[in-house]
Amino acid sequence: MNVITSFRNGDLTRQGRSFPGMAAPHSASNWRVDPRSAVKLDVRSGDILSLVDANAVQIVAVASNGDDALPHLGLARNSGVETDAFNSDAFAAWCATHGGDVGTLSAFATHCDEPLYVLSATADCTVWVINPLDRNAHVSAEANGAYQVNIKRAAPPNLLLPPPLGEIRDEFTISRATAQAYRLNKGEYVQIIDVDGQQCSDFMAFRTAGLDQGLEQRIDSTVTRSLVGGAYPGPGLFDKFYDSNMRPLLNVVRDTVGRHDTFALACTARGYAERGFPGHVNCSDNISAEMDQYGVERRTAWPAINFFFNSWIDRADNRIQVEESWSRPGDYVAMQAMDDLVCVSTACPDDVDPINGWNPTDVHIRIYKPDTPIRRAVAHREKEDSSMSLSENSAFHSRTSELTEQFSAVRNLWLPTAYPGLGTIGEYWACREAVTLQDMSSLRKYDIIGPDAEALLQLAMTRNIAKLAQWRGTYLLMCDAQGVVIDDGTLFRLGPQTFRWCCGSEESARHLKTLSENMDVRIHDMQSSLPNLALQGPRSRDVLRKIVFTQPHVPSLDQVKWFGLTIARLGDREGIPFMLSRSGYTGELGYEIFCDKADAPALWDAVMAAGAEFGITPMGAHALEIIRIEAGLAAGGAEFTADVDAYEAGLGFAIDLNKADFIGKAALERNSQSPRRALKGMLLDCDDVPLHGAHVYCDERPVGVVTSATRSPSLERAIAMVRLSVEHAVNGTVLSIGQMDGHMKRLSGTVCDVPFIDPRRERARA
């Protein structure tokens, strides 16, 4: 007989308070069986049943063909069913509908000396667990003879799950259209996994101490949105779900989707009925049924956090819009409990809307022990159908994390946004007046090497690569056949047949690989092996003079002109090697430093030490955004997007129409003769910063859009880069930017050229 009298710690933690008459749904993991009652369990092969304090109960097991299934539980018959010792009407009715005879059924009666039975099912079967009691027996209030039955469900054989994040304390699958409650101890992690993709899962958490006092201290989505400043928290600085008292319940550690819902309710019976589906199973009822055992008041409509639910608010009519989920098979959210919690998760049953891909599937839950080392991360995919990679710490993180906790995910890396010791405005002025150091390691780097390297780049790039000398770089565009910018970046020539392309996205590398078919060339993705720093500001050269050593066969520091590069070492010929280029994204005198990942912390330390006498300070992404807009530097997704050609993006200076044919040349030649839109600046007569995408108006007619905007500390006013119709792009034209639907509020300003500051780039060329 497969009975174990000891059980590993944690496997029974889903027990909770329950009440007589509670009807547990099939997906539940535990049942309380009161005296003179019975429960029916649908058991699958691989499931594990445990009976707690089952001093004298009866177990009946029946296979799908009606045969005795007790052997599939490792049990043998030792008694018959005592129908007069429990309320057997439901049991007898089930037997009758399945062609069985109560009087002939085999049963196994437990022994009084076994406090815990653990049974492993080797085949699918139906199990009845009976708690018999003589009608004349007295049941005291303190010990009423009830006992607990738990099921640890086996994972379906076709279940494809991501690798575990650490040591699993418990896991179970929530079958589609069901729900399950479970406990989390303080410090434990829960991972909610979308098994097949595009499956929503409502979630709610209650503070256990509150439930013990009859209080429902649960997640409050409105409080959470208010405190995190977003629709839902995510890994990073604003990562917590709060209750109505503004106390945190959980913090989000990982999120591989990043699109969820906290606006709407979990689906309800009324919602389905009013659309013609009365009686449709729904998440709100499923949540209520699961939370009954904890004394939680039933609700016809449950507020919940709906993970993987794709919703947004349409700006035009302020309505909530929904579409198919963005989640892919194996996507998940991982959270850490900040208190002892009772949680409930669902596998949403909605099959009449697109939210579950029209086909509800399962959700899988894993619970990890508190000491599990789960680092915070979000997912990064190079393309929609690419495999997922999780954001990692930069090679310089050991240094930057000592100075700030304010990080955001940039592509696949966590990079600082600001350093609170100085603040964004302090960092800005340090870059303008002294020198700053910034981690820019999310820049993509590709080496293009081989006999056909130049030919490939001539075909793909908008400038004449044949004119690019060794130890020189140039700003370039890569366009498609329509002249739309695929990517921009800096191309460096390291040798006759060796180039290094530093760019913003992986799309240009895919474009190069497509073009390189039948060419003798290799495109090498440097990935994280070449982290880089930006040393920017008027004192940047002074800092480098203290630490840069160059060999005679490469340019010296003073010989590195604007967009030049060299190979240097730290201090002397035995020092750390690094590539040094005179480039940047600030419009100031500046350099970029590229090094081996292992040397990153030591290089950071050396630069910061050398810059101390010049007032060096680290700089984050927020300050850089202000500076790059003042400098009129374009950004992907802002100045150039999928429907904007290179001239309309203000990047015509990077196009050489006199060179041999390149992809997009014909379209760019045509567009250069009759442009419809131009990138310009606007000096606003206020400090209000307009939003990206806001319309620019001439009287009541829209004539352009805002691409980027900020408040300029140097100009002491708001400024914006705007894409205007050429008829309204004349300097000095007074236009207005619409706020509050474009008409309720207007920000007036004057059209000007970009850059806003240092239009001849004299600072960078100094």
Side-chain angles (χ1 to χ4, degrees), residues 115-129:
L116 175 67
Y117 281 80
V118 178
L119 312 173
S120 298
T122 59
D124 295 354
C125 57
T126 299
V127 175
W128 282 86
V129 182

Side-chain angles (χ1 to χ4, degrees), residues 143 178 206 244 255 266 334 494 711-712:
T178 67
F206 301 78
S244 58
D255 185 351
L494 303 180
R711 184 190 182 276
S712 167

Side-chain angles (χ1 to χ4, degrees), residues 404-476:
T404 183
E405 294 180 354
Q406 299 180 23
F407 290 83
S408 65
V410 184
R411 302 181 186 92
N412 66 328
L413 291 179
W414 290 105
L415 297 181
T417 57
Y419 293 85
L422 193 61
T424 294
I425 299 302
E427 297 162 30
Y428 166 90
W429 284 113
C431 186
R432 288 288 187 222
E433 298 176 345
V435 59
T436 57
L437 189 64
Q438 184 173 9
D439 186 353
M440 297 289 286
S441 299
S442 62
L443 192 69
R444 292 310 191 229
K445 303 103 178 174
Y446 300 93
D447 284 349
I448 298 95
I449 304 171
D452 292 334
E454 183 176 302
L456 170 63
L457 295 170
Q458 282 286 58
L459 178 63
M461 304 293 189
T462 56
R463 279 180 164 161
N464 193 343
I465 309 304
K467 294 183 178 181
L468 186 64
Q470 186 176 0
W471 307 123
R472 291 293 301 163
T474 185
Y475 176 78
L476 287 170

Side-chain angles (χ1 to χ4, degrees), residues 484-495:
V484 172
V485 179
I486 294 174
D487 202 358
D488 71 336
T490 305
L491 182 71
F492 298 105
R493 190 165 206 158
L494 303 180

Side-chain angles (χ1 to χ4, degrees), residues 624-642:
L624 178 65
E625 179 70 358
I626 298 173
I627 294 170
R628 77 97 185 160
I629 294 173
E630 288 183 339
L633 300 174
E639 281 64 53
F640 58 90
T641 58

Side-chain angles (χ1 to χ4, degrees), residues 339-357:
D339 200 347
D340 292 344
L341 303 174
V342 174
C343 304
V344 59
S345 291
T346 75
C348 179
D350 193 336
D351 55 359
V352 298
D353 292 303
I355 58 174
N356 294 322

Side-chain angles (χ1 to χ4, degrees), residues 706-721:
V706 174
T707 60
S708 296
T710 188
R711 184 190 182 276
S712 167
S714 293
L715 301 176
E716 298 184 10
R717 60 167 66 185
I719 59 175
M721 286 197 281

Side-chain angles (χ1 to χ4, degrees), residues 293-310:
Q293 59 186 305
Y294 297 101
V296 172
E297 180 184 358
R298 280 181 169 262
R299 288 169 171 78
T300 56
W302 266 101
I305 309 302
N306 196 334
F307 290 124
F308 319 124
F309 188 101
N310 180 17

